[in-house]
């Protein structure tokens, strides 16, 4: 059969999504995630952003039983380059068609497509992390959530914080200024996504059904000499008990161009009237506030996986980033799901660039493509993976050398889901 309409023996038909199938396809996705309808504005946004030609549906007759989409992104990698990546999204299989190979066939089709599109990387966030390792995805970045008791925790701020002016603004009215701040930060941290047109709307989504009693979205700008140098978007949920106010500040998003601006915004969040808690979600693991608080134990910090990374083209992916120390290593790569990656690759690189080519030379390190994905953004150590038994050192000393080169001074961070 033609590629845009293929069927495994006895299985559902796979084909590229047509625009007139969107509602059926999306309803299948929503049902798989519990069946609670999303707000109309959220559904409309995804309808606008999704690329139908990059999305796949599994069909049993005229019934959609599987979904898998892919956004077209540019991902920052160590060294600051912006690399094309397929953002895998909206993956689901109907409960009536579990354990029939539907997911595997969609992942097979999708990675073939990503390779054909010339994207060296595929990335995703996982509802269940155990699912995607068998398809070659490794956990490449982590994120921090916290629940900070601001009645017991104070914040020590750096010099210059008092020079930053804060003011409230209507979120939609200052979207351009906020996006300009975000854009200036993208190249400075691996794992960040360049926001293509339309994605700025994601930060303004504010369906009342998802506020859980909190306020509409609020925004505060940080300014210095008339220039916007940071912003914070948040909700406030008023709460009271017999002893007084115990409101909660729920941080949605904050970015700043320098430490003083960031500190001014965090100090503001700590000091919002009638509140006693700041809740954060999906923040960088090295964010400065963690080193400025008076008592980290009262911040209930939690760490979890964030971005899962899959090298679709090993050579192109490893050449696209730089290395903080010189590397010259031969990887023996195992990739059963994308066999074109299997075999030995010689990587040579430093802070200025890299080359990665096929070789017949003896291997220095042996690993699967999943480990390369985990280490790719510099936040997961090859040495740690070696200790876990997931990287085998063939040449003594090669693991330490490669680990230093692959590391990133700034840990990777995915700023928003997709």
């Amino acid at each position: 059969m033609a590629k845009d309409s293929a069927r495994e023996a006895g299985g559902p038909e796979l084909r590229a999504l047509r625009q007139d199938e969107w509602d059926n396809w999306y309803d299948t996705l929503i049902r798989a995630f519990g069946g609670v309808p999303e707000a109309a504005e959220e559904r409309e946004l995804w309808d606008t952003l999704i690329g139908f030609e990059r999305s796949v549906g599994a069909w049993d007759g005229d019934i959609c039983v599987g979904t898998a989409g892919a956004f077209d992104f540019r991902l920052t990698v160590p060294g600051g380059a912006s690399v094309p990546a397929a953002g895998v999204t909206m993956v689901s299989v109907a409960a009536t068609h579990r354990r029939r190979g539907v997911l595997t066939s969609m992942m097979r089709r999708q990675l073939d497509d990503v390779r054909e599109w010339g994207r060296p990387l595929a990335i995703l966030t996982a509802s269940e992390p155990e699912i995607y390792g068998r398809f070659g995805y490794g956990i490449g970045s982590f994120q921090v959530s916290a629940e900070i008791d601001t009645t017991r925790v104070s914040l020590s701020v750096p010099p210059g914080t008092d020079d930053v002016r804060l003011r409230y603004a209507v979120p939609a009215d200052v979207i351009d200024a906020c996006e300009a701040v975000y854009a200036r930060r993208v190249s400075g941290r691996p794992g960040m996504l360049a926001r293509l047109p339309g994605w700025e709307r994601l930060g303004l989504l504010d369906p009342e059904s998802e506020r859980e009693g909190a306020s509409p979205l609020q925004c505060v700008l940080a300014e210095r000499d008339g220039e916007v140098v940071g912003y914070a978007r948040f909700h406030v949920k008023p709460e009271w008990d017999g002893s007084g106010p115990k409101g909660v500040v729920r941080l949605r998003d904050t970015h700043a161009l320098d430490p003083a601006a960031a500190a001014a915004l965090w100090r503001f969040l700590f000091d919002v009237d009638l509140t006693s808690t700041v809740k954060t979600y999906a923040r960088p693991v090295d964010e400065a506030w963690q080193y400025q608080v008076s008592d980290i134990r009262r911040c209930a910090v939690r760490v979890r996986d964030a971005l899962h990374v899959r090298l679709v083209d090993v050579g192109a992916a490893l050449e696209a980033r730089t290395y903080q120390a010189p590397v010259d290593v031969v990887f023996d790569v195992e990739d059963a799901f994308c066999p074109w990656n299997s075999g030995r690759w010689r990587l040579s690189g430093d802070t200025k660039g890299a080359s990665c080519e096929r070789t017949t030379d003896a291997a220095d390190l042996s690993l699967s493509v999943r480990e390369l994905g985990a280490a790719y953004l510099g936040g997961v150590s090859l040495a740690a993976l070696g200790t876990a038994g997931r990287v085998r050192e063939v040449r003594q000393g090669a693991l330490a050398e490669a680990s230093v080169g692959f590391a990133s001074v700034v840990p990777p961070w995915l700023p928003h889901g997709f």
Side-chain angles (χ1 to χ4, degrees):
M1 288 187 176
K3 186 179 180 183
D4 64 353
S5 180
R7 184 192 302 270
E8 297 290 336
E13 177 188 12
L14 297 185
R15 65 172 183 260
L17 179 64
R18 300 194 302 260
Q19 190 162 2
D20 63 357
E21 296 172 329
W22 161 257
D23 285 328
N24 190 347
W25 188 91
Y26 197 76
D27 286 345
T28 300
L29 171 73
I30 293 299
R31 184 173 56 238
F33 279 83
V36 179
E38 290 185 329
E41 61 189 278
E42 188 167 359
R43 184 173 182 133
E44 186 274 331
L45 176 60
W46 296 129
D47 184 6
T48 301
L49 293 176
I50 195 70
F52 296 102
E53 73 284 357
R54 294 189 300 271
S55 300
V56 175
W59 300 84
D60 187 350
D62 60 355
I63 301 172
C64 184
V65 298
T67 65
F71 295 115
D72 199 14
F73 284 140
R74 297 196 69 87
L75 176 76
T76 301
V77 300
S82 183
V83 176
V88 175
T89 187
M90 302 183 190
V91 178
S92 72
V93 176
T96 54
H97 285 66
R98 296 284 304 280
R99 299 177 183 87
R100 299 190 191 180
V102 177
L103 177 61
T104 298
S105 63
M106 290 194 300
M107 293 294 98
R108 165 78 283 128
R109 163 68 181 266
Q110 189 176 65
L111 286 170
D112 288 341
D113 286 346
V114 172
R115 185 190 186 199
E116 186 174 296
W117 301 333
R119 302 299 186 258
L121 299 170
I123 56 176
L124 57 81
T125 61
S127 56
E128 296 179 277
E130 67 176 334
I131 293 175
Y132 293 98
R134 67 182 185 269
F135 304 124
Y137 288 86
I139 299 172
S141 77
F142 293 84
Q143 61 190 22
V144 161
S145 298
E147 188 169 333
I148 306 168
D149 180 356
T150 53
T151 67
R152 304 287 297 272
V153 178
S154 59
L155 198 69
S156 175
V157 298
T161 301
D162 292 336
D163 298 330
V164 179
R165 175 178 178 262
L166 301 181
R167 67 177 176 92
Y168 281 99
V170 176
D173 291 349
V174 294
I175 184 65
D176 289 344
C178 294
E179 288 301 297
V181 170
Y182 178 89
R184 289 178 62 180
R185 295 199 65 215
V186 167
S187 64
R189 186 185 288 271
M192 292 192 71
L193 301 172
R195 285 214 268 257
L196 301 177
W199 279 94
E200 72 282 353
R201 295 172 54 195
L202 183 64
L204 298 181
L205 280 179
D206 188 27
E208 185 174 0
S209 60
E210 296 182 10
R211 294 179 194 156
E212 299 181 351
S215 71
L217 187 66
Q218 301 184 38
C219 180
V220 163
L221 297 182
E223 297 176 323
R224 184 186 295 107
D225 300 326
E227 177 189 6
V228 176
V229 292
Y231 68 91
R233 298 185 186 125
F234 58 95
H235 302 269
V236 176
K237 183 176 183 180
E239 293 185 2
W240 302 76
D241 64 14
S243 62
K246 294 185 178 297
V248 178
V249 177
R250 295 181 174 177
L251 178 62
R252 276 271 301 271
D253 185 25
T254 185
H255 291 275
L257 298 181
D258 58 71
L265 289 164
W266 279 96
R267 183 172 64 181
F268 163 82
L269 296 169
F270 274 44
D271 291 342
V272 172
D273 288 340
L274 307 180
T275 67
S276 61
T277 304
V278 171
K279 289 186 177 181
T280 73
Y281 175 74
R283 302 303 305 167
V285 297
D286 65 335
E287 198 160 32
W289 68 265
Q290 297 172 87
Y291 311 105
Q292 296 168 339
V293 293
S294 59
D295 190 344
I296 193 66
R297 292 186 186 179
R298 295 188 182 275
C299 298
V301 173
R302 301 175 302 282
V303 179
R304 57 164 286 178
D305 63 289
L307 194 65
H308 295 230
V309 180
R310 213 283 182 208
L311 275 59
V312 180
D313 183 331
V314 165
L318 293 180
E319 285 185 349
R321 56 156 293 179
T322 62
Y323 300 85
Q324 69 167 1
V327 294
D328 185 11
V329 61
V330 175
F331 291 112
D332 188 1
V333 179
E334 176 190 351
D335 191 348
F337 205 69
C338 295
W340 58 81
N341 284 324
S342 292
R344 278 171 280 172
W345 297 84
R346 178 176 287 279
L347 170 66
S348 299
D350 55 24
T351 57
K352 297 178 181 179
S355 66
C356 188
E357 299 177 346
R358 290 283 187 180
T359 184
T360 58
D361 294 342
D364 299 317
L365 297 174
S366 178
L367 73 176
S368 82
V369 74
R370 182 180 179 185
E371 282 67 63
L372 278 179
Y376 183 71
L377 294 176
V380 175
S381 166
L382 283 170
L385 293 171
T387 302
R390 291 173 56 184
V391 178
R392 183 170 69 88
E393 185 177 57
V394 181
R395 174 176 62 83
Q396 187 174 2
L399 185 55
E401 295 167 12
S403 296
V404 173
F406 266 71
S408 173
V409 174
V410 181
W413 174 51
L414 176 67
H416 59 78
F418 52 87

